Amino acid sequence: DAGITQSPRHKVTETGTPVTLRCHQTENHRYMYWYRQDPGHGLRLIHYSYGVKDTDKGEVSDGYSVSRSKTEDFLLTLESATSSQTSVYFCAIRPGTSGNTGELFFGEGSRLTVL
Amino acid sequence: EDQVTQSPEALRLQEGESSSLNCSYTVSGLRGLFWYRQDPGKGPEFLFTLYSAGEEKEKERLKATLTKKESFLHITAPKPEDSATYLCAVQAISSGSARQLTFGSGTQLTVLP
Protein backbone atom coordinates (compact mmCIF):
# COMPACT_ATOMS: atom_id res chain seq x y z
CA ASP A 1 0.00 0.00 0.00
CA ALA A 2 1.66 3.21 -1.19
CA GLY A 3 -0.70 5.41 0.80
CA ILE A 4 -2.40 7.10 -2.14
CA THR A 5 -5.91 8.45 -1.76
CA GLN A 6 -7.93 10.00 -4.56
CA SER A 7 -11.04 12.08 -4.04
CA PRO A 8 -13.74 12.15 -5.06
CA ARG A 9 -13.94 8.58 -6.34
CA HIS A 10 -17.00 9.34 -8.43
CA LYS A 11 -18.32 12.63 -9.73
CA VAL A 12 -21.02 13.66 -12.17
CA THR A 13 -20.98 17.24 -13.34
CA GLU A 14 -22.30 19.44 -16.12
CA THR A 15 -20.47 20.92 -19.06
CA GLY A 16 -18.83 24.22 -18.22
CA THR A 17 -18.48 23.68 -14.48
CA PRO A 18 -15.09 23.60 -12.75
CA VAL A 19 -13.92 20.33 -11.23
CA THR A 20 -10.99 19.58 -8.94
CA LEU A 21 -9.66 16.12 -8.26
CA ARG A 22 -7.35 15.54 -5.34
CA CYS A 23 -4.52 13.08 -4.90
CA HIS A 24 -3.10 12.67 -1.41
CA GLN A 25 -0.04 10.63 -0.49
CA THR A 26 1.32 9.84 2.93
CA GLU A 27 4.96 8.98 2.14
CA ASN A 28 6.50 12.24 0.85
CA HIS A 29 7.36 10.95 -2.60
CA ARG A 30 8.73 13.61 -4.90
CA TYR A 31 7.21 12.54 -8.20
CA MET A 32 3.45 12.49 -8.71
CA TYR A 33 1.50 11.98 -11.93
CA TRP A 34 -2.02 12.40 -13.25
CA TYR A 35 -3.18 9.99 -15.98
CA ARG A 36 -6.49 9.53 -17.69
CA GLN A 37 -7.71 6.16 -18.95
CA ASP A 38 -10.12 5.79 -21.83
CA PRO A 39 -11.17 2.72 -23.80
CA GLY A 40 -8.87 2.21 -26.78
CA HIS A 41 -6.35 4.79 -25.58
CA GLY A 42 -4.82 3.24 -22.54
CA LEU A 43 -3.35 5.47 -19.87
CA ARG A 44 -2.26 8.91 -21.05
CA LEU A 45 -0.22 11.36 -19.01
CA ILE A 46 -1.91 14.70 -18.28
CA HIS A 47 0.53 16.47 -15.94
CA TYR A 48 3.23 15.50 -13.51
CA SER A 49 5.04 17.08 -10.59
CA TYR A 50 8.61 16.72 -9.42
CA GLY A 51 8.27 18.73 -6.25
CA VAL A 52 6.33 21.46 -4.47
CA LYS A 53 5.32 24.07 -7.06
CA ASP A 54 7.22 22.15 -9.75
CA THR A 55 4.93 20.77 -12.43
CA ASP A 56 5.05 20.06 -16.14
CA LYS A 57 2.73 19.03 -18.96
CA GLY A 58 2.15 15.56 -20.31
CA GLU A 59 0.80 14.52 -23.68
CA VAL A 60 -2.87 15.46 -23.07
CA SER A 61 -2.65 18.58 -20.91
CA ASP A 62 -5.04 20.87 -22.82
CA GLY A 63 -8.01 21.83 -20.64
CA TYR A 64 -6.29 20.79 -17.41
CA SER A 65 -4.22 22.57 -14.81
CA VAL A 66 -2.47 21.25 -11.72
CA SER A 67 -1.13 22.55 -8.46
CA ARG A 68 1.12 21.20 -5.77
CA SER A 69 1.46 23.48 -2.77
CA LYS A 70 2.36 20.66 -0.39
CA THR A 71 4.40 17.50 -0.96
CA GLU A 72 1.47 15.29 -0.08
CA ASP A 73 -1.21 16.84 -2.32
CA PHE A 74 -1.42 17.05 -6.11
CA LEU A 75 -4.57 18.67 -7.46
CA LEU A 76 -5.96 18.33 -10.98
CA THR A 77 -8.39 21.04 -12.10
CA LEU A 78 -10.69 21.15 -15.08
CA GLU A 79 -11.48 24.87 -15.33
CA SER A 80 -14.52 24.32 -17.54
CA ALA A 81 -15.39 20.65 -17.93
CA THR A 82 -16.33 19.26 -21.36
CA SER A 83 -17.86 15.93 -22.33
CA SER A 84 -14.53 14.85 -23.83
CA GLN A 85 -13.09 14.93 -20.33
CA THR A 86 -15.40 12.14 -19.20
CA SER A 87 -12.86 9.54 -18.13
CA VAL A 88 -11.27 7.67 -15.27
CA TYR A 89 -8.44 9.66 -13.73
CA PHE A 90 -5.55 7.98 -11.95
CA CYS A 91 -2.97 9.52 -9.72
CA ALA A 92 0.39 7.77 -9.42
CA ILE A 93 3.57 8.22 -7.44
CA ARG A 94 7.10 7.07 -8.18
CA PRO A 95 9.14 6.03 -5.18
CA GLY A 96 12.22 8.21 -5.23
CA THR A 97 14.47 5.65 -3.62
CA SER A 98 13.64 2.97 -6.15
CA GLY A 99 16.19 2.28 -8.84
CA ASN A 100 13.33 0.91 -10.88
CA THR A 101 12.09 4.16 -12.35
CA GLY A 102 9.13 2.65 -14.16
CA GLU A 103 7.53 1.24 -11.06
CA LEU A 104 4.60 3.49 -10.32
CA PHE A 105 2.06 3.08 -7.58
CA PHE A 106 -1.44 4.08 -8.62
CA GLY A 107 -4.44 5.28 -6.69
CA GLU A 108 -7.85 3.68 -7.03
CA GLY A 109 -9.02 6.17 -9.65
CA SER A 110 -11.64 8.92 -9.90
CA ARG A 111 -14.47 8.34 -12.34
CA LEU A 112 -15.67 11.64 -13.81
CA THR A 113 -18.76 11.99 -15.97
CA VAL A 114 -19.42 15.30 -17.69
CA LEU A 115 -23.00 15.65 -18.95
CA GLU B 1 6.66 9.53 -31.04
CA ASP B 2 6.75 6.51 -28.76
CA GLN B 3 4.06 3.92 -29.47
CA VAL B 4 2.91 0.74 -27.77
CA THR B 5 0.49 -1.73 -29.35
CA GLN B 6 -0.90 -4.68 -27.45
CA SER B 7 -2.56 -7.74 -28.89
CA PRO B 8 -4.99 -9.33 -28.68
CA GLU B 9 -7.39 -6.79 -27.19
CA ALA B 10 -9.20 -9.57 -25.38
CA LEU B 11 -8.36 -13.21 -24.68
CA ARG B 12 -10.48 -15.93 -23.15
CA LEU B 13 -8.74 -19.07 -21.89
CA GLN B 14 -9.84 -22.18 -20.12
CA GLU B 15 -8.17 -22.79 -16.78
CA GLY B 16 -4.85 -24.49 -17.45
CA GLU B 17 -4.66 -23.36 -21.10
CA SER B 18 -1.33 -21.56 -21.56
CA SER B 19 -1.00 -18.59 -23.91
CA SER B 20 0.94 -15.38 -24.59
CA LEU B 21 0.13 -11.69 -24.75
CA ASN B 22 2.05 -9.46 -27.15
CA CYS B 23 3.35 -5.91 -26.73
CA SER B 24 4.95 -4.29 -29.79
CA TYR B 25 6.71 -1.00 -29.32
CA THR B 26 8.54 1.77 -31.11
CA VAL B 27 10.63 4.10 -29.04
CA SER B 28 13.63 6.29 -29.68
CA GLY B 29 15.94 4.54 -27.26
CA LEU B 30 14.41 2.17 -24.73
CA ARG B 31 15.16 2.78 -21.08
CA GLY B 32 12.78 0.08 -19.90
CA LEU B 33 9.62 -1.90 -20.65
CA PHE B 34 7.10 -2.51 -17.91
CA TRP B 35 4.15 -4.81 -17.37
CA TYR B 36 1.23 -3.95 -15.12
CA ARG B 37 -1.88 -5.80 -14.08
CA GLN B 38 -5.19 -3.98 -13.63
CA ASP B 39 -8.25 -5.43 -11.95
CA PRO B 40 -11.71 -3.93 -12.65
CA GLY B 41 -12.26 -0.70 -10.75
CA LYS B 42 -8.67 -0.59 -9.51
CA GLY B 43 -5.48 1.18 -10.41
CA PRO B 44 -2.72 -0.69 -12.28
CA GLU B 45 -0.33 -2.80 -10.24
CA PHE B 46 3.31 -3.16 -11.24
CA LEU B 47 4.49 -6.63 -12.32
CA PHE B 48 7.83 -6.55 -14.16
CA THR B 49 10.59 -4.41 -15.58
CA LEU B 50 12.68 -5.47 -18.59
CA TYR B 51 15.67 -3.44 -19.67
CA SER B 52 17.38 -5.21 -22.55
CA ALA B 53 16.69 -7.69 -25.33
CA GLY B 54 16.95 -11.27 -24.15
CA GLU B 55 15.98 -10.47 -20.58
CA GLU B 56 13.30 -12.55 -18.86
CA LYS B 57 11.41 -12.13 -15.59
CA GLU B 58 9.12 -14.60 -13.85
CA LYS B 59 6.49 -14.39 -11.18
CA GLU B 60 4.32 -17.39 -10.36
CA ARG B 61 2.53 -18.34 -13.62
CA LEU B 62 3.74 -15.26 -15.51
CA LYS B 63 6.93 -14.86 -17.52
CA ALA B 64 7.84 -11.70 -19.41
CA THR B 65 10.37 -11.65 -22.25
CA LEU B 66 11.84 -8.85 -24.34
CA THR B 67 13.19 -8.49 -27.87
CA LYS B 68 14.25 -5.34 -29.69
CA LYS B 69 10.74 -4.78 -31.04
CA GLU B 70 8.32 -6.56 -28.73
CA SER B 71 7.66 -8.15 -25.41
CA PHE B 72 5.62 -11.19 -24.54
CA LEU B 73 3.81 -12.03 -21.34
CA HIS B 74 3.54 -15.80 -21.17
CA ILE B 75 0.88 -17.25 -18.90
CA THR B 76 1.40 -20.87 -17.97
CA ALA B 77 -1.53 -22.96 -16.71
CA PRO B 78 -3.62 -19.88 -15.83
CA LYS B 79 -6.18 -19.80 -13.06
CA PRO B 80 -9.38 -17.74 -12.84
CA GLU B 81 -7.64 -15.33 -10.46
CA ASP B 82 -5.28 -14.39 -13.29
CA SER B 83 -8.23 -12.71 -15.02
CA ALA B 84 -7.38 -9.01 -15.39
CA THR B 85 -6.27 -6.45 -17.92
CA TYR B 86 -2.54 -6.57 -18.57
CA LEU B 87 -0.88 -3.31 -19.56
CA CYS B 88 2.46 -2.81 -21.22
CA ALA B 89 4.39 0.47 -21.00
CA VAL B 90 7.69 1.81 -22.31
CA GLN B 91 10.01 4.42 -20.96
CA ALA B 92 12.27 6.23 -23.37
CA ILE B 93 15.78 7.36 -22.63
CA SER B 94 14.57 10.82 -23.66
CA SER B 95 11.95 10.88 -20.88
CA GLY B 96 14.36 12.77 -18.66
CA SER B 97 14.10 12.94 -14.91
CA ALA B 98 10.30 12.61 -14.96
CA ARG B 99 10.63 9.12 -16.44
CA GLN B 100 7.21 9.25 -18.11
CA LEU B 101 5.67 6.03 -19.32
CA THR B 102 3.81 5.44 -22.60
CA PHE B 103 1.15 2.79 -22.12
CA GLY B 104 -0.56 0.40 -24.50
CA SER B 105 -4.32 -0.12 -24.44
CA GLY B 106 -4.04 -3.44 -22.67
CA THR B 107 -5.16 -7.04 -23.13
CA GLN B 108 -8.22 -8.09 -21.19
CA LEU B 109 -7.65 -11.68 -20.07
CA THR B 110 -10.49 -13.89 -18.88
CA VAL B 111 -9.70 -17.34 -17.49
CA LEU B 112 -12.71 -19.61 -17.28
CA PRO B 113 -12.93 -22.33 -14.61
Side-chain angles (χ1 to χ4, degrees):
Chain A
D1 183 4
I4 303 169
T5 305
Q6 291 187 229
S7 59
R9 294 291 314 281
H10 301 272
K11 186 172 182 65
V12 180
T13 191
E14 294 187 349
T15 297
T17 60
V19 176
T20 296
L21 306 179
R22 180 184 183 233
C23 178
H24 178 80
Q25 58 145 330
T26 59
E27 299 185 8
N28 291 323
H29 296 297
R30 181 182 175 193
Y31 285 90
M32 300 183 74
Y33 304 80
W34 275 109
Y35 284 87
R36 61 177 288 174
Q37 187 173 40
D38 305 287
H41 288 278
L43 285 154
R44 292 179 292 173
L45 182 65
I46 305 171
H47 280 279
Y48 64 93
S49 170
Y50 46 97
V52 173
K53 299 192 188 306
D54 292 323
T55 65
D56 207 347
K57 297 178 180 180
E59 64 177 303
V60 290
S61 59
D62 287 348
Y64 301 95
S65 62
V66 290
S67 65
R68 192 166 178 200
S69 58
K70 299 184 292 184
T71 300
E72 58 265 36
D73 288 325
F74 191 30
L75 304 180
L76 177 70
T77 297
L78 292 66
E79 299 290 347
S80 178
T82 67
S83 58
S84 64
Q85 294 175 311
T86 292
S87 185
V88 181
Y89 292 86
F90 287 98
C91 174
I93 61 95
R94 172 159 68 86
T97 55
S98 171
N100 186 342
T101 59
E103 182 177 355
L104 301 181
F105 291 94
F106 286 84
E108 297 280 270
S110 294
R111 181 175 294 275
L112 175 67
T113 302
V114 183
L115 301 176
Chain B
E1 182 181 335
D2 303 332
Q3 288 190 329
V4 179
T5 303
Q6 292 188 245
S7 62
E9 290 185 10
L11 181 63
R12 291 165 67 92
L13 300 173
Q14 290 295 136
E15 185 172 1
E17 179 186 3
S18 301
S19 188
S20 297
L21 312 182
N22 177 262
C23 171
S24 297
Y25 65 91
T26 56
V27 62
S28 53
L30 181 71
R31 181 187 296 277
L33 184 141
F34 310 90
W35 284 97
Y36 284 79
R37 169 190 170 126
Q38 186 175 22
D39 292 305
K42 303 288 187 181
E45 179 184 347
F46 171 78
L47 291 174
F48 300 113
T49 304
L50 300 166
Y51 290 110
S52 58
E55 188 174 0
E56 298 183 352
K57 293 281 180 69
E58 283 190 70
K59 180 179 181 180
E60 297 181 353
R61 295 175 292 282
L62 301 177
K63 183 169 80 173
T65 62
L66 181 64
T67 73
K68 290 187 176 180
K69 293 184 178 181
E70 57 192 350
S71 176
F72 292 93
L73 185 64
H74 306 278
I75 303 176
T76 302
K79 299 182 178 181
E81 53 262 43
D82 294 321
S83 297
T85 296
Y86 291 86
L87 303 173
C88 173
V90 297
Q91 189 178 74
I93 291 173
S94 60
S95 64
S97 61
R99 303 286 197 265
Q100 300 102 307
L101 300 181
T102 299
F103 282 86
S105 300
T107 294
Q108 184 176 356
L109 175 66
T110 303
V111 182
L112 304 172

